[in-house]
Amino acid sequence: MKTGNVLKLVYLGINAYKEAVIYMRRNCHVCRSEGFEVPARVKIVHKNGTILATLNIIESELLTSHEASLSVYAWELLNASPGDDVQVFHPPHLNSLDYIRGKIYGRTLDKSQIKEIIQDVIAGSLSDIHLSAFLAATADGHFSKDEILYLTESMIETGNQLKWENDLIVDKHCIGGLPGNRTTPIVVAIVAAFGLIIPKTSSRAITSPAGTADTMEVLAPVDLNLNAMRKVVEKENGCIVWGGTVNLSPADDILIRIERALVLDSMGQLVASILSKKIAAGSTHAVIDIPVGPTVKIRTTSSANELKNYLETIGKIIGIEIQIVFTDGTQPVGRGIGPALEAKDVLSVLQRDPNAPQSLRERAVMLAGQVLEFSPQVHKGMGYALAESILNSGQAWEKFQAICHAQGGFFPPPTAKHVKTICSKKKGKVIATDNRYLSRIAKLAGAPTTKAAGIELLAPVGTEVNVGDPLFIIHSETKGELNYAINFLSTGREIFEFGKSP
Amino acid sequence: MKTGNVLKLVYLGINAYKEAVIYMRRNCHVCRSEGFEVPARVKIVHKNGTILATLNIIESELLTSHEASLSVYAWELLNASPGDDVQVFHPPHLNSLDYIRGKIYGRTLDKSQIKEIIQDVIAGSLSDIHLSAFLAATADGHFSKDEILYLTESMIETGNQLKWENDLIVDKHCIGGLPGNRTTPIVVAIVAAFGLIIPKTSSRAITSPAGTADTMEVLAPVDLNLNAMRKVVEKENGCIVWGGTVNLSPADDILIRIERALVLDSMGQLVASILSKKIAAGSTHAVIDIPVGPTVKIRTTSSANELKNYLETIGKIIGIEIQIVFTDGTQPVGRGIGPALEAKDVLSVLQRDPNAPQSLRERAVMLAGQVLEFSPQVHKGMGYALAESILNSGQAWEKFQAICHAQGGFFPPPTAKHVKTICSKKKGKVIATDNRYLSRIAKLAGAPTTKAAGIELLAPVGTEVNVGDPLFIIHSETKGELNYAINFLSTGREIFEFGKSP
């Protein structure tokens, strides 16, 4: 134990997301004796464990030369407390960095190499710079089908994995990007009402105004741990919980963040991400909804087909049957954009409200029908009608309420304090909407942080509008956020595209 | 002007190296209204300009919800002061990120695209994650000769560029990695004494125990700006200054840092880095020393030849004549490792001390001879003898002192307070040394921060040693650092490899 290397931890509360950072004075004895200079990587030894971190230098009186601080992620990785001692050293050699470099130079990686990379991702040993190089080097065309398989297997092996008694465990997944596309709660309710086991984990919004977990959270608790989730499924056949708490694919959660910064959707990463989470959830069969359109994740038929091929063939190898459904990704599904507004759409479909958005109802029934056809009791082609009858009979609505109660309670969705109806300045038929701008306005209005905030779309594609007709309503909790969203509209961006009137 | 977006700047002194970071409270009104979440990129508008930055969240009382702080680099980019107002927005779309993504997908970039990337690098608009993806996507084999040319040209066009009266401006460069290889001051002294113009800029240590600028700084000031540098060269024909102050290739300085983190030496990047700095210095002719060996940057003859080919052909296109010299990169050149110890070696060669390290003397004379042959007055093959005569006559030594005085003074190298001689536990002939371990010990002893610290190597390859014979001496300013270096030896690493004694 080299006592000369010891520094005392001080809490500064700096959150650098999933990057472990250590903050030290430049003139601290450890920096000097080890010869550290930013942006070095260093090894931190703490009584609870050892991690690697990026060094940032403090040039002010925030720390003394005998103190150090950590980023929030590093505190968590070490489970450290203020006042604890840490020792700081030069980092060890990382084999995984050699493999990443090998990939940059076009080499093919084997299973053990990919697994070591993924293990180091989870341990926080690789910095954002390393992860970015890995993703760039494994983007489309640089990662073989075998390598995608190894990546999927490595993600499965390094995360939690659920086991179920039943032989048939179904799932449903949508390749994101389409606002308001909240079919999941409806699909789960129909499928669970029929009697299939569907332990569904969903994500929160990353860049969108709402993820399925955000929407579901309006109606019931979603922060369930593995045990609690299991109890819900054992009781009600299904659940809709947040995947972040159950930690099914921790490596994926870290890599997705870098992909987002690069605005890079790597096919291999996407396939591994989806399949690893399905296998981790214990699923044997899954329907995957791939919306295709110019402003969603999958933009062309050829990339949709490539993705389908990877999902089906790798799915087969790792033991999950995949059914792909291509859907229209050109405009929002449902009427609401934002957690509570989407939750209201979901409820209206389940409650068989005649004013429920038909686009959401139809898509949910179609997807539920596909899932039902995994059952040996359901003949091919009969799923849609069966799903519709379960919805129409009220069984799905009852099942949904039961699932909510099992998850901890069923709450009515909140209503926003401030609304503003935006009317058309043009006359004509709506022929397209810009989904990215709609999402942006919903976020400016407060979604997903403010549950009630968002947009209510009144003029979907196909609507004939006159000057002064309502196009959408902005919902906000505060006057400031409402104005913020309205201001965005004054910048002259074209959200609706109109065709010539007859 | 949306006044709702204004935050007041507070100084926290956090140095994240060349990454612009903004620190804000999660519950600050700007974060909430814009819906920012770590690790977002944001646009910062300040009265002096606009930059992009990475968002870190402060979860403590370091800031109020109406305050923000910046990383040291961001303060510098904006030339901002505490108390200034900033506005924070979502970042604009970056075309350069599209080009980087294109490169990831294997597209070829044209000149304007590469230039836009480099401009965004310098503006700080691209994050470390983006830069890493760019480097991974442009590593060997992915960047064509044309693209390397465009990269070189873009780096030249975006940095400072020196102009000289003379038609022949010579330079000398070494592809690093070899400890103690401090030929530059000797070469410059010989060449300038002969009368050629050699405005030499050098780097400080990045990961090594000393860069040429660190060594030279022991003997004379090196932090000269462009004007001061020009005056020295006009007076004495040559200089040896730190390249960081004169800012000849700012993009390169930023990219090198990411390459270091990836331990990635991209051929294209290396070629552009070297040539852009030579052209920026106004050089017309340059000798480039490529040490080849198992523990230096260039490890094989084939990569040495590839580098030679790129440097020569791209050099020709951009108007600089390149002369490549391959040298032995298997063991340290000279005796000292560390700024002052290397400076003493340099002085002993210039002062014609009979005990001067012959390896350093011979390599410097050979390289100086190559440079001299750029002169139309020097016949091919006559450079070595001419360089040696200039050294032996004392002209080089006089010129060196004159250059030091012109740079601001000539100082004697300091001597360390503490030394420890390390003796051999084995008998035999030294057949190899591990240069990385030698560098490591020199750094632990305090180099390059402590000028006098480092290693004095007494048993170079070829030396016959008995048990108890001295191998090297560790020099340190503090007892603690000395012990730190000695402790490293106790870990049992083999620094010297011995052959069987006869």
Side-chain angles (χ1 to χ4, degrees):
Chain A
M1 186 95 169
K2 293 188 198 69
T3 49
N5 263 18
V6 175
L7 294 170
K8 202 161 278 299
L9 287 181
V10 172
Y11 182 74
L12 293 177
I14 304 174
N15 186 337
Y17 202 69
K18 298 246 175 184
E19 173 120 27
V21 180
I22 185 166
Y23 303 89
M24 291 159 60
R25 285 291 290 259
R26 186 188 302 281
N27 62 353
C28 90
H29 59 113
V30 176
C31 267
R32 290 187 57 223
S33 66
E34 289 275 350
F36 294 141
E37 273 292 330
V38 278
R41 292 284 285 176
V42 298
K43 181 173 80 171
I44 305 175
V45 178
H46 175 266
K47 62 184 176 187
N48 294 342
T50 295
I51 60 167
L52 302 192
T54 296
L55 172 64
N56 277 197
I57 292 290
I58 298 293
E59 300 183 353
S60 67
E61 306 304 314
L62 281 187
L63 296 175
T64 70
S65 58
H66 293 276
E67 292 173 336
S69 189
L70 304 173
S71 63
V72 167
Y73 188 60
W75 286 108
E76 286 168 7
L77 282 174
L78 288 170
N79 193 20
S81 303
D84 287 356
D85 285 341
V86 288
Q87 289 182 286
V88 185
F89 301 98
H90 282 278
H93 180 83
L94 286 178
N95 291 329
S96 56
L97 187 52
D98 295 339
Y99 307 147
I100 291 173
R101 212 163 29 240
K103 196 67 224 168
I104 291 172
Y105 288 115
R107 282 194 279 279
T108 301
L109 300 182
D110 66 25
K111 172 71 192 284
S112 70
Q113 292 169 331
I114 290 179
K115 185 157 179 187
E116 193 164 339
I117 291 171
I118 294 302
Q119 284 168 332
D120 280 353
V121 168
I122 294 169
S125 302
L126 293 164
S127 74
D128 286 359
I129 288 172
H130 301 145
L131 299 181
S132 176
F134 175 63
L135 289 172
T138 58
D140 293 12
H142 304 301
F143 227 29
S144 70
K145 189 179 276 188
D146 277 349
E147 289 174 308
I148 297 175
L149 170 64
Y150 301 149
L151 182 66
T152 310
E153 290 175 334
S154 300
M155 284 187 181
I156 294 167
E157 292 162 14
T158 52
N160 280 321
Q161 197 168 351
L162 295 173
K163 302 278 178 210
W164 304 96
E165 298 280 303
N166 307 60
D167 292 335
L168 179 67
I169 306 293
V170 300
D171 210 335
K172 173 263 165 196
H173 183 86
C174 177
I175 314 290
L178 198 55
N181 192 17
R182 220 47 69 205
T183 56
T184 294
I186 306 167
V187 172
V188 169
I190 294 172
V191 169
F194 176 75
L196 297 185
I197 307 298
I198 182 162
K200 178 75 188 120
T201 62
S202 294
S203 53
R204 291 188 186 278
I206 297 173
T207 57
S208 72
T212 293
D214 300 307
T215 297
M216 188 63 193
E217 197 172 33
V218 170
L219 304 169
V222 296
D223 287 1
L224 278 65
N225 64 22
L226 273 181
N227 264 338
M229 171 185 171
R230 179 180 293 280
K231 279 183 192 148
V232 174
V233 176
E234 281 168 358
K235 183 152 184 279
E236 300 296 346
N237 301 334
C239 67
I240 305 123
V241 303
W242 179 44
T245 320
V246 294
N247 204 27
L248 291 176
S249 190
D252 187 48
D253 295 342
I254 294 169
L255 290 171
I256 278 178
R257 169 182 61 99
I258 306 290
E259 288 207 302
R260 199 187 331 143
L262 292 172
V263 201
L264 184 76
D265 278 314
S266 155
M267 190 68 80
Q269 202 62 41
L270 185 60
V271 169
S273 168
I274 295 167
L275 292 180
S276 67
K277 284 185 172 161
K278 299 299 136 208
I279 289 283
S283 307
T284 59
H285 295 67
V287 166
I288 296 180
D289 172 13
I290 306 183
V292 184
T295 58
V296 297
K297 201 176 266 189
I298 303 297
R299 302 187 178 186
T300 65
T301 312
S302 75
S303 58
N305 279 319
E306 190 186 356
L307 179 58
K308 176 178 192 284
N309 180 270
Y310 277 126
L311 287 168
E312 286 174 350
T313 54
I314 293 178
K316 186 167 282 178
I317 297 170
I318 61 172
I320 181 167
E321 192 179 320
I322 298 295
Q323 177 70 40
I324 301 292
V325 182
F326 295 138
T327 55
D328 173 20
T330 58
Q331 65 162 326
V333 178
R335 215 169 271 144
I337 303 174
L341 294 166
E342 295 177 21
K344 287 178 183 178
D345 280 354
V346 167
L347 291 183
S348 70
V349 170
L350 287 167
Q351 293 167 342
R352 291 148 294 151
D353 181 335
N355 289 322
Q358 290 310 301
S359 58
L360 178 64
R361 182 186 181 278
E362 271 160 37
R363 191 165 297 194
V365 168
M366 181 272 290
L367 292 168
Q370 290 287 335
V371 175
L372 291 177
E373 290 184 12
F374 286 138
S375 165
Q377 297 157 39
V378 180
H379 292 294
K380 292 285 163 227
M382 302 303 291
Y384 187 94
L386 178 57
E388 195 163 41
S389 76
I390 294 170
L391 181 65
N392 289 341
S393 70
Q395 290 168 273
W397 170 224
E398 287 196 7
K399 178 53 80 180
F400 183 77
Q401 295 171 81
I403 289 173
C404 288
H405 285 296
Q407 289 189 191
F410 177 50
F411 321 127
T415 298
K417 282 207 191 77
H418 303 275
V419 295
K420 166 85 177 177
T421 303
I422 305 299
C423 296
S424 184
K425 292 174 180 161
K426 294 184 181 170
K427 174 184 163 69
K429 185 176 183 170
V430 176
I431 57 170
T433 55
D434 191 312
N435 300 330
R436 290 164 302 189
Y437 286 147
L438 286 171
S439 294
R440 181 78 181 274
I441 295 165
K443 283 160 68 183
L444 291 175
T449 316
T450 306
K451 295 289 184 193
I455 280 182
E456 199 180 339
L457 189 61
L458 303 177
V461 170
T463 311
E464 288 282 356
V465 296
N466 281 307
V467 174
D469 280 359
L471 294 171
F472 59 92
I473 305 171
I474 304 174
H475 295 241
S476 270
E477 272 301 284
T478 68
K479 199 84 186 163
E481 285 169 318
L482 186 67
N483 286 335
Y484 209 65
I486 294 170
N487 278 340
F488 180 81
L489 292 171
S490 66
T491 56
R493 291 177 176 88
E494 294 291 348
I495 298 159
F496 290 79
E497 194 181 330
F498 295 97
K500 288 226 169 65
S501 276
Chain B
M1 187 95 168
K2 294 187 198 70
T3 49
N5 264 19
V6 174
L7 295 170
K8 203 163 279 297
L9 288 181
V10 171
Y11 182 76
L12 292 176
I14 304 174
N15 186 337
Y17 201 69
K18 299 247 175 184
E19 173 119 27
V21 181
I22 184 165
Y23 303 89
M24 288 158 64
R25 286 292 288 264
R26 187 188 302 281
N27 61 354
C28 89
H29 59 114
V30 176
C31 267
R32 290 187 58 222
S33 65
E34 289 276 349
F36 294 141
E37 272 293 330
V38 278
R41 291 284 287 176
V42 298
K43 181 173 81 172
I44 305 175
V45 177
H46 176 267
K47 62 183 176 188
N48 294 342
T50 296
I51 60 168
L52 302 191
T54 296
L55 173 64
N56 278 196
I57 292 289
I58 297 294
E59 300 183 354
S60 66
E61 305 303 314
L62 281 188
L63 297 175
T64 71
S65 59
H66 294 277
E67 293 173 335
S69 188
L70 304 173
S71 64
V72 168
Y73 187 59
W75 285 107
E76 286 168 5
L77 282 174
L78 288 170
N79 193 21
S81 304
D84 287 356
D85 285 340
V86 288
Q87 289 183 284
V88 185
F89 301 99
H90 282 279
H93 179 84
L94 286 178
N95 291 329
S96 55
L97 187 52
D98 295 339
Y99 307 147
I100 291 172
R101 211 161 33 240
K103 195 68 224 169
I104 290 171
Y105 288 115
R107 283 195 279 280
T108 301
L109 300 183
D110 66 25
K111 173 70 192 285
S112 70
Q113 292 169 330
I114 289 180
K115 184 156 181 190
E116 193 164 339
I117 292 171
I118 294 302
Q119 284 167 333
D120 281 353
V121 168
I122 294 169
S125 301
L126 294 164
S127 74
D128 286 359
I129 288 173
H130 301 146
L131 298 181
S132 177
F134 175 64
L135 290 172
T138 58
D140 293 12
H142 304 301
F143 227 27
S144 70
K145 191 179 274 186
D146 276 349
E147 289 174 307
I148 298 175
L149 170 64
Y150 302 149
L151 182 65
T152 310
E153 291 174 335
S154 300
M155 284 185 179
I156 294 167
E157 291 162 16
T158 51
N160 280 322
Q161 198 170 350
L162 295 173
K163 301 280 178 206
W164 304 95
E165 298 280 305
N166 307 59
D167 291 336
L168 179 68
I169 306 293
V170 299
D171 210 334
K172 173 264 166 195
H173 184 86
C174 177
I175 314 289
L178 199 55
N181 192 16
R182 218 48 68 205
T183 55
T184 293
I186 305 167
V187 172
V188 170
I190 294 172
V191 169
F194 176 75
L196 296 185
I197 308 298
I198 183 163
K200 178 77 187 120
T201 62
S202 294
S203 53
R204 292 188 186 278
I206 297 172
T207 57
S208 72
T212 294
D214 299 307
T215 298
M216 188 64 194
E217 198 172 31
V218 171
L219 304 170
V222 296
D223 287 2
L224 278 65
N225 64 23
L226 273 181
N227 263 338
M229 172 185 171
R230 179 180 292 281
K231 279 185 190 146
V232 174
V233 175
E234 283 168 356
K235 183 153 184 279
E236 300 297 345
N237 301 335
C239 68
I240 305 124
V241 302
W242 178 43
T245 321
V246 293
N247 204 28
L248 291 177
S249 189
D252 186 49
D253 295 341
I254 295 169
L255 291 171
I256 278 178
R257 167 182 65 99
I258 307 291
E259 287 208 302
R260 199 187 327 143
L262 292 171
V263 201
L264 183 76
D265 278 315
S266 154
M267 191 67 80
Q269 203 60 43
L270 185 60
V271 169
S273 168
I274 295 167
L275 292 180
S276 67
K277 283 184 173 161
K278 299 298 137 205
I279 289 283
S283 307
T284 59
H285 295 67
V287 166
I288 296 180
D289 172 14
I290 306 182
V292 184
T295 58
V296 296
K297 200 175 267 190
I298 302 297
R299 301 184 180 188
T300 65
T301 311
S302 76
S303 58
N305 279 321
E306 191 187 356
L307 180 57
K308 175 177 192 285
N309 179 269
Y310 277 126
L311 287 168
E312 286 175 349
T313 55
I314 293 179
K316 185 167 283 180
I317 296 170
I318 60 171
I320 181 168
E321 192 179 321
I322 299 295
Q323 178 70 41
I324 302 292
V325 182
F326 294 138
T327 55
D328 174 19
T330 57
Q331 65 162 325
V333 178
R335 214 169 272 143
I337 303 175
L341 294 166
E342 294 178 21
K344 286 178 183 176
D345 281 355
V346 166
L347 290 183
S348 70
V349 170
L350 287 168
Q351 292 166 341
R352 291 148 293 150
D353 183 333
N355 289 322
Q358 290 308 301
S359 59
L360 178 64
R361 181 185 181 280
E362 270 162 38
R363 192 165 296 194
V365 168
M366 181 271 289
L367 292 168
Q370 290 288 335
V371 176
L372 291 177
E373 290 184 12
F374 285 139
S375 165
Q377 297 156 39
V378 180
H379 292 295
K380 292 285 162 225
M382 301 302 291
Y384 187 94
L386 178 58
E388 196 163 41
S389 76
I390 294 170
L391 180 65
N392 288 342
S393 69
Q395 288 169 274
W397 171 222
E398 285 195 10
K399 177 54 78 179
F400 183 76
Q401 294 171 84
I403 289 172
C404 288
H405 284 296
Q407 289 189 192
F410 178 50
F411 321 128
T415 298
K417 282 208 189 74
H418 302 274
V419 295
K420 167 83 177 176
T421 303
I422 305 299
C423 297
S424 185
K425 291 172 181 162
K426 294 184 182 170
K427 175 183 162 69
K429 184 176 182 170
V430 176
I431 58 169
T433 57
D434 190 312
N435 300 329
R436 290 166 302 189
Y437 286 148
L438 286 171
S439 293
R440 180 77 181 276
I441 296 165
K443 283 160 67 182
L444 291 174
T449 317
T450 306
K451 295 289 183 194
I455 280 183
E456 201 180 338
L457 187 63
L458 304 176
V461 171
T463 310
E464 288 282 357
V465 295
N466 280 307
V467 174
D469 279 358
L471 293 172
F472 59 93
I473 305 171
I474 304 174
H475 295 242
S476 270
E477 272 299 285
T478 69
K479 200 85 184 162
E481 286 169 318
L482 186 66
N483 286 335
Y484 208 67
I486 294 169
N487 278 341
F488 180 81
L489 294 171
S490 66
T491 56
R493 291 177 177 89
E494 295 290 348
I495 298 161
F496 290 79
E497 195 182 329
F498 296 95
K500 289 223 170 65
S501 275

